[in-house]
Coordinates of all heavy atoms in Angstrom, one line a residue:
D1 N 0.8 -1.2 0.0 CA 0.0 0.0 0.0 C 0.8 1.3 0.0 O 0.3 2.4 0.1 CB -1.0 0.0 1.2 CG -0.3 -0.1 2.5 OD1 1.0 0.0 2.6 OD2 -1.0 -0.2 3.5
G2 N 2.2 1.1 -0.1 CA 3.0 2.3 -0.1 C 3.3 3.0 1.2 O 3.8 4.1 1.3
I3 N 2.8 2.3 2.3 CA 3.0 2.9 3.6 C 4.0 2.2 4.4 O 4.0 0.9 4.5 CB 1.6 2.9 4.4 CG1 0.6 3.8 3.6 CG2 1.8 3.4 5.8 CD1 -0.8 3.7 4.2
S4 N 4.9 2.9 5.0 CA 5.9 2.3 5.9 C 5.5 2.5 7.3 O 4.9 3.6 7.7 CB 7.3 2.9 5.7 OG 7.7 2.7 4.4
V5 N 5.8 1.6 8.2 CA 5.4 1.7 9.6 C 6.6 1.5 10.5 O 7.4 0.6 10.3 CB 4.4 0.6 10.0 CG1 4.0 0.7 11.5 CG2 3.1 0.7 9.1
I6 N 6.8 2.5 11.4 CA 7.8 2.4 12.4 C 7.1 2.5 13.7 O 6.4 3.4 14.0 CB 8.8 3.6 12.3 CG1 9.5 3.6 10.9 CG2 9.8 3.6 13.4 CD1 10.3 4.9 10.6
Y7 N 7.3 1.5 14.5 CA 6.5 1.4 15.8 C 7.1 2.1 16.9 O 6.4 2.6 17.8 CB 6.3 -0.1 16.1 CG 5.3 -0.8 15.2 CD1 5.7 -1.5 14.2 CD2 3.9 -0.6 15.4 CE1 4.8 -2.1 13.3 CE2 3.0 -1.2 14.5 CZ 3.5 -2.0 13.5 OH 2.6 -2.5 12.6
S8 N 8.4 2.3 16.9 CA 9.0 3.0 18.1 C 10.4 3.5 17.7 O 11.1 2.8 17.0 CB 9.1 2.0 19.2 OG 9.7 2.6 20.3
V9 N 10.6 4.7 18.1 CA 11.9 5.3 17.9 C 12.4 6.0 19.2 O 11.5 6.6 19.9 CB 11.9 6.4 16.8 CG1 13.2 7.1 16.6 CG2 11.5 5.7 15.5
G10 N 13.6 6.0 19.5 CA 14.1 6.7 20.7 C 15.6 7.0 20.6 O 16.3 6.3 19.8
V11 N 16.0 8.0 21.3 CA 17.4 8.4 21.4 C 17.8 8.4 22.9 O 17.1 8.9 23.7 CB 17.6 9.8 20.8 CG1 19.0 10.2 21.0 CG2 17.2 9.8 19.3
S12 N 18.8 7.7 23.2 CA 19.3 7.6 24.6 C 19.5 9.0 25.1 O 19.9 9.9 24.4 CB 20.6 6.8 24.6 OG 20.5 5.5 24.3
V13 N 19.2 9.1 26.4 CA 19.3 10.4 27.1 C 20.6 11.1 26.8 O 20.6 12.3 26.6 CB 19.0 10.3 28.6 CG1 19.2 11.6 29.3 CG2 17.7 9.7 28.9
E14 N 21.7 10.4 26.9 CA 23.0 11.1 26.8 C 23.3 11.6 25.3 O 24.2 12.4 25.1 CB 24.2 10.1 27.2 CG 24.3 8.9 26.4 CD 23.5 7.7 26.9 OE1 22.6 7.9 27.7 OE2 23.9 6.6 26.5
Y15 N 22.5 11.2 24.4 CA 22.7 11.6 23.0 C 21.6 12.6 22.5 O 21.6 13.0 21.4 CB 22.7 10.4 22.1 CG 23.9 9.5 22.3 CD1 23.8 8.3 22.9 CD2 25.2 10.0 21.9 CE1 24.9 7.5 23.2 CE2 26.3 9.2 22.2 CZ 26.2 8.0 22.8 OH 27.3 7.2 23.1
R16 N 20.6 12.9 23.4 CA 19.6 13.9 23.0 C 20.1 15.3 22.8 O 21.1 15.6 23.4 CB 18.5 13.8 24.0 CG 17.7 12.5 24.0 CD 16.6 12.5 25.0 NE 16.1 11.1 25.0 CZ 15.3 10.6 26.0 NH1 14.9 11.4 27.0 NH2 14.9 9.4 25.9
N17 N 19.4 16.0 22.0 CA 19.7 17.4 21.7 C 21.1 17.6 20.9 O 21.8 18.5 21.0 CB 19.8 18.3 23.0 CG 18.4 18.3 23.7 OD1 17.4 18.6 23.0 ND2 18.4 18.0 24.9
K18 N 21.4 16.5 20.2 CA 22.6 16.5 19.3 C 22.3 16.4 17.8 O 23.2 16.2 17.0 CB 23.6 15.5 19.8 CG 24.0 15.6 21.2 CD 25.0 14.6 21.6 CE 25.4 14.6 23.1 NZ 25.7 15.9 23.6
G19 N 21.0 16.5 17.5 CA 20.6 16.4 16.1 C 20.3 15.0 15.6 O 20.1 14.8 14.4
I20 N 20.4 14.0 16.4 CA 20.2 12.6 16.0 C 18.8 12.3 15.5 O 18.6 11.7 14.5 CB 20.6 11.6 17.1 CG1 22.2 11.7 17.3 CG2 20.3 10.2 16.7 CD1 22.7 11.0 18.5
G21 N 17.8 12.8 16.3 CA 16.4 12.6 15.9 C 16.1 13.3 14.6 O 15.4 12.8 13.7
K22 N 16.6 14.5 14.5 CA 16.4 15.3 13.2 C 17.0 14.6 12.0 O 16.4 14.5 11.0 CB 17.0 16.7 13.4 CG 16.9 17.6 12.2 CD 17.5 18.9 12.6 CE 17.6 19.9 11.5 NZ 18.2 21.2 11.8
A23 N 18.2 14.0 12.2 CA 18.9 13.3 11.2 C 18.1 12.0 10.8 O 18.0 11.7 9.6 CB 20.3 12.9 11.6
F24 N 17.5 11.4 11.7 CA 16.7 10.2 11.5 C 15.5 10.6 10.6 O 15.2 9.9 9.6 CB 16.2 9.5 12.8 CG 15.3 8.4 12.5 CD1 15.8 7.2 12.1 CD2 13.9 8.5 12.7 CE1 14.9 6.1 11.8 CE2 13.1 7.5 12.5 CZ 13.6 6.3 12.0
I25 N 14.8 11.7 11.0 CA 13.7 12.2 10.2 C 14.1 12.5 8.7 O 13.4 12.2 7.8 CB 13.0 13.4 10.8 CG1 12.4 13.1 12.2 CG2 12.0 14.1 9.9 CD1 11.3 12.1 12.2
N26 N 15.3 13.0 8.6 CA 15.8 13.3 7.2 C 16.1 12.1 6.4 O 16.1 12.2 5.2 CB 17.1 14.1 7.3 CG 16.8 15.6 7.7 OD1 15.8 16.1 7.3 ND2 17.8 16.2 8.4
L27 N 16.2 10.9 7.0 CA 16.5 9.7 6.2 C 15.2 9.2 5.6 O 15.3 8.4 4.6 CB 17.0 8.6 7.2 CG 18.4 8.8 7.7 CD1 18.8 7.8 8.7 CD2 19.4 8.9 6.6
I28 N 14.1 9.6 6.0 CA 12.8 9.2 5.5 C 12.4 10.1 4.3 O 12.1 11.3 4.5 CB 11.7 9.2 6.6 CG1 12.1 8.3 7.8 CG2 10.4 8.7 6.0 CD1 11.3 8.4 9.0
N29 N 12.4 9.5 3.1 CA 12.2 10.3 1.9 C 10.7 10.3 1.5 O 10.4 10.4 0.3 CB 13.0 9.8 0.8 CG 14.5 10.1 1.1 OD1 14.9 11.1 1.6 ND2 15.3 9.1 0.6
K30 N 9.8 10.2 2.4 CA 8.4 10.2 2.1 C 7.7 11.1 3.1 O 8.2 11.4 4.2 CB 7.8 8.8 2.3 CG 8.4 7.8 1.3 CD 7.7 6.4 1.5 CE 8.3 5.4 0.6 NZ 7.7 4.1 0.7
P31 N 6.5 11.5 2.8 CA 5.7 12.2 3.8 C 5.6 11.3 5.1 O 5.5 10.1 5.0 CB 4.3 12.4 3.2 CG 4.6 12.4 1.7 CD 5.7 11.4 1.5
I32 N 5.5 11.9 6.2 CA 5.4 11.2 7.5 C 4.1 11.5 8.2 O 3.8 12.7 8.4 CB 6.6 11.6 8.4 CG1 7.9 11.3 7.7 CG2 6.5 10.8 9.7 CD1 9.1 11.8 8.5
L33 N 3.4 10.4 8.6 CA 2.2 10.5 9.4 C 2.5 9.7 10.7 O 2.9 8.6 10.6 CB 1.0 10.0 8.7 CG -0.3 10.0 9.4 CD1 -0.8 11.4 9.6 CD2 -1.4 9.1 8.7
L34 N 2.3 10.3 11.8 CA 2.6 9.6 13.0 C 1.6 9.9 14.1 O 1.0 10.9 14.1 CB 4.1 9.8 13.5 CG 4.5 11.3 13.9 CD1 4.2 11.6 15.3 CD2 6.0 11.5 13.6
R35 N 1.6 9.0 15.1 CA 0.8 9.1 16.3 C 1.7 9.2 17.5 O 2.6 8.4 17.6 CB -0.2 7.9 16.4 CG -1.2 7.8 15.3 CD -2.0 6.5 15.5 NE -3.1 6.5 14.6 CZ -3.1 6.1 13.3 NH1 -1.9 5.7 12.8 NH2 -4.2 6.1 12.6
C36 N 1.3 10.1 18.4 CA 2.1 10.2 19.6 C 1.1 10.5 20.8 O 0.3 11.4 20.6 CB 3.1 11.4 19.4 SG 4.2 11.6 20.8
P37 N 1.3 9.9 21.9 CA 0.4 10.2 23.1 C 0.5 11.7 23.4 O 1.5 12.3 23.4 CB 1.0 9.3 24.2 CG 1.7 8.2 23.5 CD 2.2 8.8 22.2
V38 N -0.7 12.2 23.7 CA -0.8 13.7 23.9 C 0.1 14.2 25.0 O 0.6 15.3 25.0 CB -2.2 14.2 24.1 CG1 -3.1 13.9 22.9 CG2 -2.8 13.5 25.3
N39 N 0.4 13.4 26.0 CA 1.2 13.8 27.1 C 2.7 13.5 27.0 O 3.5 13.6 27.9 CB 0.7 13.3 28.4 CG 0.7 11.7 28.5 OD1 0.9 11.1 27.4 ND2 0.4 11.2 29.6
N40 N 3.1 13.0 25.8 CA 4.5 12.6 25.5 C 5.4 13.8 25.2 O 5.0 14.7 24.4 CB 4.5 11.6 24.4 CG 5.9 10.9 24.2 OD1 6.9 11.6 24.0 ND2 5.9 9.6 24.3
K41 N 6.6 13.9 25.7 CA 7.5 15.0 25.5 C 7.9 15.1 24.0 O 8.3 16.2 23.5 CB 8.7 14.9 26.3 CG 8.5 15.1 27.8 CD 9.8 14.9 28.5 CE 9.6 15.0 30.0 NZ 10.9 14.8 30.8
S42 N 7.7 14.0 23.2 CA 8.1 14.0 21.8 C 7.3 15.0 21.0 O 7.7 15.5 19.9 CB 8.0 12.6 21.2 OG 8.8 11.7 21.9
N43 N 6.1 15.4 21.4 CA 5.2 16.3 20.7 C 5.9 17.6 20.5 O 5.8 18.2 19.4 CB 3.9 16.5 21.4 CG 3.0 15.3 21.3 OD1 2.6 14.9 20.3 ND2 2.8 14.7 22.5
K44 N 6.7 18.1 21.4 CA 7.5 19.3 21.3 C 8.5 19.2 20.2 O 8.7 20.1 19.4 CB 8.2 19.7 22.6 CG 8.9 21.0 22.6 CD 9.5 21.2 24.0 CE 10.2 22.5 24.0 NZ 10.9 22.8 25.3
F45 N 9.1 18.1 20.1 CA 10.1 17.8 19.0 C 9.4 17.8 17.6 O 9.9 18.5 16.7 CB 10.7 16.4 19.2 CG 11.6 15.9 18.1 CD1 12.8 16.4 17.9 CD2 11.1 14.9 17.3 CE1 13.6 15.9 16.8 CE2 11.9 14.4 16.3 CZ 13.1 14.9 16.0
Y46 N 8.3 17.1 17.5 CA 7.6 17.1 16.2 C 7.2 18.5 15.8 O 7.3 18.9 14.6 CB 6.4 16.2 16.2 CG 6.8 14.8 16.5 CD1 6.2 14.0 17.5 CD2 7.8 14.1 15.8 CE1 6.6 12.7 17.8 CE2 8.2 12.8 16.1 CZ 7.6 12.1 17.1 OH 8.0 10.8 17.4
K47 N 6.7 19.3 16.7 CA 6.2 20.7 16.4 C 7.4 21.5 16.0 O 7.4 22.3 15.0 CB 5.5 21.3 17.6 CG 5.0 22.6 17.4 CD 4.2 23.2 18.5 CE 3.6 24.5 18.2 NZ 2.8 25.0 19.2
K48 N 8.6 21.3 16.7 CA 9.8 22.1 16.3 C 10.3 21.8 14.9 O 10.8 22.7 14.2 CB 10.9 21.8 17.4 CG 12.2 22.5 17.2 CD 13.2 22.1 18.2 CE 14.5 22.7 18.0 NZ 15.5 22.3 18.9
L49 N 10.1 20.6 14.5 CA 10.6 20.2 13.1 C 9.6 20.6 12.1 O 9.8 20.4 10.9 CB 10.8 18.7 13.1 CG 12.1 18.2 13.7 CD1 12.3 16.7 13.4 CD2 13.3 19.0 13.3
G50 N 8.4 21.1 12.4 CA 7.5 21.6 11.5 C 6.3 20.6 11.1 O 5.6 20.9 10.2
F51 N 6.2 19.6 11.9 CA 5.1 18.7 11.7 C 3.8 19.5 12.0 O 3.7 20.3 12.9 CB 5.1 17.5 12.7 CG 6.0 16.4 12.3 CD1 7.4 16.5 12.5 CD2 5.5 15.2 11.7 CE1 8.2 15.4 12.1 CE2 6.3 14.2 11.3 CZ 7.7 14.3 11.5
E52 N 2.7 19.2 11.2 CA 1.4 19.8 11.4 C 0.6 18.8 12.3 O 0.4 17.7 12.0 CB 0.8 20.0 10.1 CG -0.6 20.5 10.1 CD -1.3 20.6 8.8 OE1 -0.6 20.3 7.7 OE2 -2.5 20.8 8.7
L53 N 0.0 19.4 13.3 CA -1.0 18.6 14.1 C -2.3 18.5 13.4 O -3.0 19.5 13.3 CB -1.1 19.2 15.5 CG -2.1 18.5 16.5 CD1 -1.6 17.1 16.7 CD2 -2.2 19.2 17.8
L54 N -2.6 17.3 12.9 CA -3.9 17.2 12.1 C -5.1 17.1 13.0 O -6.1 17.6 12.7 CB -3.8 15.9 11.2 CG -2.7 15.9 10.1 CD1 -2.8 14.6 9.4 CD2 -2.9 17.1 9.2
R55 N -4.9 16.3 14.1 CA -6.1 16.1 15.0 C -5.6 15.3 16.2 O -4.5 14.9 16.3 CB -7.2 15.3 14.3 CG -6.8 13.8 13.9 CD -7.9 13.1 13.1 NE -7.5 11.8 12.8 CZ -6.7 11.5 11.7 NH1 -6.3 12.4 10.9 NH2 -6.4 10.2 11.5
I56 N -6.5 15.2 17.2 CA -6.3 14.4 18.4 C -7.3 13.3 18.4 O -8.5 13.5 18.2 CB -6.5 15.3 19.6 CG1 -5.4 16.4 19.6 CG2 -6.3 14.4 20.9 CD1 -5.6 17.4 20.8
E57 N -6.8 12.1 18.4 CA -7.7 10.9 18.5 C -7.9 10.6 20.0 O -7.0 10.3 20.7 CB -7.1 9.7 17.8 CG -7.1 9.8 16.3 CD -6.5 8.5 15.7 OE1 -6.1 7.6 16.4 OE2 -6.5 8.5 14.4
L58 N -9.2 10.7 20.4 CA -9.5 10.5 21.8 C -9.8 9.0 22.0 O -10.4 8.3 21.1 CB -10.8 11.3 22.2 CG -10.6 12.8 22.1 CD1 -11.9 13.5 22.4 CD2 -9.5 13.3 22.9
S59 N -9.4 8.5 23.1 CA -9.5 7.0 23.4 C -9.7 6.9 24.9 O -9.2 7.7 25.7 CB -8.3 6.3 22.9 OG -8.3 5.0 23.3
K60 N -10.3 5.8 25.3 CA -10.4 5.5 26.7 C -9.0 5.2 27.3 O -8.7 5.5 28.5 CB -11.3 4.3 27.0 CG -12.8 4.6 26.7 CD -13.7 3.4 26.9 CE -15.1 3.7 26.5 NZ -16.0 2.6 26.7
K61 N -8.2 4.5 26.5 CA -6.9 4.1 27.0 C -5.9 5.2 27.0 O -5.3 5.5 28.0 CB -6.3 2.9 26.2 CG -5.1 2.3 26.7 CD -4.6 1.1 25.8 CE -3.4 0.5 26.3 NZ -2.9 -0.6 25.5
R62 N -5.7 5.9 25.9 CA -4.9 7.1 25.8 C -5.2 7.9 24.5 O -5.5 7.3 23.5 CB -3.4 6.7 25.8 CG -2.9 5.9 24.6 CD -1.5 5.6 24.7 NE -1.1 4.8 23.5 CZ 0.1 4.5 23.3 NH1 1.1 4.8 24.1 NH2 0.4 3.8 22.2
S63 N -5.2 9.2 24.6 CA -5.4 10.0 23.5 C -4.1 10.2 22.7 O -3.0 10.3 23.3 CB -6.0 11.3 23.9 OG -7.3 11.1 24.6
L64 N -4.2 10.4 21.4 CA -3.1 10.5 20.5 C -3.1 11.7 19.7 O -4.2 12.1 19.1 CB -2.9 9.3 19.6 CG -2.8 7.9 20.3 CD1 -3.0 6.8 19.3 CD2 -1.5 7.8 21.0
N65 N -2.0 12.4 19.6 CA -1.8 13.5 18.6 C -1.5 12.8 17.3 O -0.6 12.0 17.2 CB -0.7 14.5 19.0 CG -1.1 15.4 20.1 OD1 -2.3 15.7 20.3 ND2 -0.2 15.9 20.8
I66 N -2.1 13.3 16.2 CA -1.8 12.8 14.9 C -1.0 13.9 14.1 O -1.6 15.0 13.9 CB -3.1 12.4 14.1 CG1 -4.0 11.5 14.9 CG2 -2.7 11.8 12.7 CD1 -3.3 10.2 15.4
W67 N 0.2 13.6 13.9 CA 1.1 14.6 13.2 C 1.4 14.2 11.8 O 1.5 13.1 11.4 CB 2.5 14.7 14.0 CG 2.4 15.2 15.4 CD1 2.3 14.4 16.5 CD2 2.4 16.5 15.8 NE1 2.3 15.2 17.6 CE2 2.4 16.5 17.2 CE3 2.5 17.7 15.1 CZ2 2.4 17.7 17.9 CZ3 2.5 18.9 15.9 CH2 2.4 18.9 17.2
F68 N 1.7 15.3 10.9 CA 2.0 15.0 9.5 C 3.1 16.0 9.1 O 3.1 17.1 9.4 CB 0.7 15.2 8.7 CG 0.9 15.0 7.2 CD1 1.1 13.7 6.7 CD2 1.0 16.1 6.3 CE1 1.3 13.5 5.4 CE2 1.2 15.9 5.0 CZ 1.4 14.6 4.5
L69 N 4.0 15.4 8.3 CA 5.1 16.3 7.7 C 5.2 15.9 6.2 O 5.5 14.7 5.9 CB 6.4 16.0 8.4 CG 7.6 16.9 7.9 CD1 7.3 18.3 8.1 CD2 8.9 16.4 8.5
E70 N 4.9 16.8 5.4 CA 4.9 16.6 3.9 C 6.3 16.8 3.3 O 6.8 16.0 2.7 CB 3.9 17.6 3.3 CG 3.9 17.5 1.7 CD 3.0 16.4 1.2 OE1 2.0 16.1 1.8 OE2 3.4 15.8 0.2
N71 N 6.8 18.0 3.6 CA 8.0 18.5 2.9 C 9.1 18.7 3.9 O 9.1 19.6 4.7 CB 7.7 19.7 2.1 CG 8.9 20.2 1.3 OD1 10.0 19.8 1.4 ND2 8.7 21.2 0.4
K72 N 10.2 17.9 3.8 CA 11.3 18.0 4.8 C 12.5 18.7 4.2 O 13.6 18.8 4.8 CB 11.7 16.6 5.3 CG 10.6 15.9 5.9 CD 11.1 14.5 6.5 CE 12.0 13.7 5.6 NZ 11.5 13.2 4.4
E73 N 12.5 19.2 3.0 CA 13.7 19.8 2.3 C 14.4 20.8 3.2 O 15.6 20.9 3.1 CB 13.3 20.3 1.0 CG 12.8 19.3 0.0 CD 12.3 19.8 -1.3 OE1 12.2 21.1 -1.4 OE2 11.9 19.0 -2.1
R74 N 13.7 21.6 3.9 CA 14.3 22.6 4.7 C 15.2 22.1 5.9 O 15.9 22.8 6.5 CB 13.2 23.6 5.3 CG 12.3 22.9 6.3 CD 11.3 23.8 6.8 NE 10.3 23.0 7.6 CZ 9.1 22.9 7.3 NH1 8.6 23.5 6.2 NH2 8.3 22.2 8.0
F75 N 15.0 20.7 6.2 CA 15.8 20.1 7.2 C 17.1 19.5 6.8 O 17.9 19.0 7.6 CB 15.0 19.0 7.9 CG 13.7 19.5 8.5 CD1 12.5 18.9 8.1 CD2 13.6 20.6 9.4 CE1 11.3 19.4 8.6 CE2 12.5 21.1 9.9 CZ 11.3 20.5 9.5
L76 N 17.3 19.5 5.5 CA 18.6 18.8 5.0 C 19.8 19.6 5.5 O 19.8 20.8 5.5 CB 18.5 18.7 3.5 CG 17.4 17.9 2.9 CD1 17.4 17.9 1.4 CD2 17.5 16.5 3.4
F77 N 20.8 18.8 5.8 CA 22.1 19.4 6.3 C 22.9 20.0 5.2 O 22.9 19.6 4.1 CB 22.9 18.3 7.0 CG 22.2 17.8 8.2 CD1 21.4 16.7 8.1 CD2 22.4 18.4 9.4 CE1 20.8 16.2 9.2 CE2 21.7 17.9 10.5 CZ 20.9 16.8 10.4

């Protein structure tokens, strides 16, 4: 169906704020649609990189922010 799925991504605490997460996003050469729990610190990262918050999916278990990034060209090194 042309969709790739990544279930989990993380950067060890000692390597955060060094551009590793940004570099990982740059490796993906397709638009990105992702879900992130609303209370997760990663939401700040996605917003900083220019992801658009499409909607919030409400759930009894946990609510999720749905983020989308179409064009990443501005992030290239």
Side-chain angles (χ1 to χ4, degrees):
D1 61 5
I3 297 174
S4 299
V5 177
I6 300 170
Y7 288 99
S8 182
V9 175
V11 176
S12 295
V13 176
E14 63 268 21
Y15 295 106
R16 291 183 188 163
N17 299 311
K18 299 184 185 314
I20 295 170
K22 182 178 172 181
F24 177 77
I25 295 296
N26 283 331
L27 292 173
I28 302 170
N29 292 326
K30 297 180 181 183
I32 301 170
L33 179 71
L34 60 88
R35 293 174 172 85
C36 185
V38 296
N39 60 350
N40 192 301
K41 293 179 183 180
S42 298
N43 288 295
K44 185 177 177 182
F45 170 75
Y46 299 128
K47 184 174 183 175
K48 181 180 175 182
L49 286 187
F51 279 79
E52 175 187 353
L53 180 60
L54 296 180
R55 66 184 177 277
I56 299 173
E57 288 184 356
L58 301 176
S59 170
K60 291 180 183 177
K61 187 175 179 181
R62 65 179 180 176
S63 298
L64 300 171
N65 285 335
I66 309 303
W67 294 98
F68 180 72
L69 183 63
E70 175 84 36
N71 183 347
K72 303 183 315 295
E73 293 172 0
R74 64 180 172 244
F75 302 124
L76 297 178
F77 296 93

